[in-house]
Amino acid sequence: MASAVPPPRRSEVLSLFRSLLRTAREFADYNIREYTKRRTIDAFRQNRDLSDPSAVSAAFSDGKSQLEVARRQAIVYSLYAPKVKSVMEIKH
Amino acid sequence: MASKHLTAALRRTSPFRSFSTAAATTAHPPPAAEPYDDGEGISMKGVKIAGRPLYLDMQATSPLDPRVHDAMLPYNLSRYGNPHSRTHLYGWESDAAVEAARAQVASLINASPKEIVFTSGATEANNISVKGVMNFYKDKKRHVITTQTEHKCVLDSCRHLQQQGFDVTYLPVGPDGLVDLDQLRSAVRSNTGLVSVMMVNNEIGVIQPMEEIGKICKEFNVPLHTDAAQALGKIPIDVEKMNVSLMSLSGHKIYGPKGVGALYMRRRPRIRVEPQMNGGGQERGIRSGTVPTPLVVGMGAACELAMREMEYDERRINKLQERLLNGIRARLDGVVVNGSTERRYVGNLNLSFAYVEGESLLMGLKEVAVSSGSACTSASLEPSYVLRALGVDEDMAHTSIRFGIGRFTTEAEIDRAIELTVNQVEKLREMSPLYEMVKEGIDIKSIQWTQH
């Protein structure tokens, strides 16, 4: 599958990481927002020590497709965001 | 009893139907904009809260995972074909999506895609299993074994069978909620047609010893049906290891859409059922009716996600459950966990608070969406039959609260839930004369109450 694709450079991986976190912030829903942030950080941390280049490429392309999903869904969720936020977001 | 109706009604109704209890303060324009949440907090059913409650009721239903929603959307928008249309692209692409989803569901339980039948939910799958199997084999097999803690749909189907003349044995459970294997063994007769035991209980979260039960069923050559709606995607399921012949699966408990489920039916050895939905012969004749492609695709995506995320979710939810239980226990005494603590699914925590009345506790917990007992029984005033089967005292059964933790629950939500619960329980106990007596050392059970 990824035999001809070179593994991503460090800057590309970092850029993907930052894009995912930025997209996470755009979710209108408190729980989804927190989950996206947390899952991104945990997934990148878990894959930090991958050495096999095809595994790294696979993880990177998986991350990129997740980014696309997150971008689309952040838009959809914001279109239908309830007027009142979660109690967790309201200062108390 | 207002809060039980409140929780049930809130779950049942949508904002677009008018309410029979006219507690909402604003007028109701037809469909669309129901101004019950107006940017300054929510007022509904006479209750005012500042924001949407934090959701801790994962056993009732779970939110859609955005990745699942993303997989479903194309089939709602442009790929709207009927999967049974054989003559054009719309049908072909829809059918391809259904078959792909079938494979996703099958691989989560180690089955073959040919063994998966899509239904409208686990309730329908339970109905097909119980009534369908017994009606198919009704000449030779007249006996069903099930437990007292099964889901209402299984118990109701069994009652229906009893009215038709079948025999049903309802096995009792121990105080930990687990089935006694020796009792099961001795209950099996030569004309037993089905054993039905749910894998993970929806109220108390107890995990039954499915592999041992499967061994007993194999020994006596009785088909085993299990309702795995709460177990799918949460604990590892292997239909081969558990020797299960029929399994009911639900979409909306694993962050998938509501209105879809599946029935696993073993092919070797083949189990036959009498279909409960007759029609054009879809789903191999077992369940006629157009297969709802968007829902089915959603369920498939949810299953695939669950397979990938099971370990990560379980680790997190386990930590959250410990945090919740320890947090509550650190500040309150008289807290009892209902059901076995060892054999339980980590995301289900059913607690009883002594000397506190359940309804008043729920009324004060409006910022936390929890349930007392299960949604199916919340309409009646009786305490849950599951807790009664465990042998829990009436007063403790009334004060049970079920906390459901899921993939999207945050630590902050757990901490807030602890704070709200502890505050409310302390407030109620302070007002309670029973609690005062207990603190003074009087044994409540030895009191002779006088009649006036």
Side-chain angles (χ1 to χ4, degrees), chain A residues 27 29-36 38-40 42-43 46 62 65-66 68-70 72-74 76-77 82-92, chain B residues 35 37-42 49-55 64-67 69-70 73 308-309 312-313 315-316 367 407-413 416 419:
Chain A
F27 270 101
D29 182 290
Y30 164 79
N31 292 93
I32 311 283
R33 189 168 61 232
E34 292 299 308
Y35 175 78
T36 313
R38 183 176 58 233
R39 191 71 187 93
T40 304
D42 287 344
Q46 189 184 345
D62 181 51
S65 54
Q66 299 276 5
E68 290 311 306
V69 172
R72 285 193 293 263
Q73 291 304 307
V76 174
Y77 274 72
K83 288 196 214 96
V84 183
K85 299 195 187 216
S86 159
V87 288
M88 300 302 296
E89 301 177 272
I90 297 177
K91 304 258 180 270
H92 94 128
Chain B
D37 67 344
D38 53 7
E40 284 164 20
I42 304 180
I49 29 178
R52 295 183 68 80
L54 60 99
Y55 192 77
L64 256 191
D65 191 305
R67 295 165 282 193
H69 191 224
D70 196 71
L73 273 175
R308 286 211 310 250
E309 305 275 334
Y312 175 83
D313 283 343
R315 249 181 297 141
R316 255 201 86 239
E367 289 190 346
R407 182 183 290 166
F408 300 107
T409 312
T410 64
E411 244 178 49
E413 284 181 321
R416 179 78 79 93
E419 199 188 303

Side-chain angles (χ1 to χ4, degrees), chain B residues 311-378:
Chain B
E311 206 194 302
Y312 175 83
D313 283 343
E314 210 231 315
R315 249 181 297 141
R316 255 201 86 239
I317 296 175
N318 194 7
K319 278 203 291 235
L320 289 176
Q321 190 218 49
E322 278 174 9
R323 195 185 177 97
L324 178 61
L325 188 54
N326 295 339
I328 292 184
R329 279 222 161 115
R331 292 167 60 182
L332 290 177
D333 58 344
V335 174
V336 175
V337 177
N338 294 316
S340 159
T341 40
E342 295 89 35
R343 295 204 53 114
R344 99 181 288 123
Y345 166 57
V346 291
N348 182 322
L349 191 60
N350 191 311
L351 299 177
S352 280
F353 300 92
Y355 323 115
V356 162
E357 211 277 307
E359 293 302 330
S360 33
L361 178 54
L362 272 186
M363 282 203 289
L365 282 181
K366 279 304 135 215
E367 289 190 346
V368 185
V370 285
S371 111
S372 91
S374 84
C376 4
T377 56
S378 59

Side-chain angles (χ1 to χ4, degrees), chain A residues 12 16 20 58-71:
Chain A
E12 288 177 322
L16 176 63
L20 276 165
F60 184 70
S61 54
D62 181 51
K64 277 206 291 195
S65 54
Q66 299 276 5
L67 176 62
E68 290 311 306
V69 172
R71 281 205 173 122

Side-chain angles (χ1 to χ4, degrees), chain B residues 272 295 336 361 450:
Chain B
R272 312 279 305 270
L295 298 179
V336 175
L361 178 54
T450 53

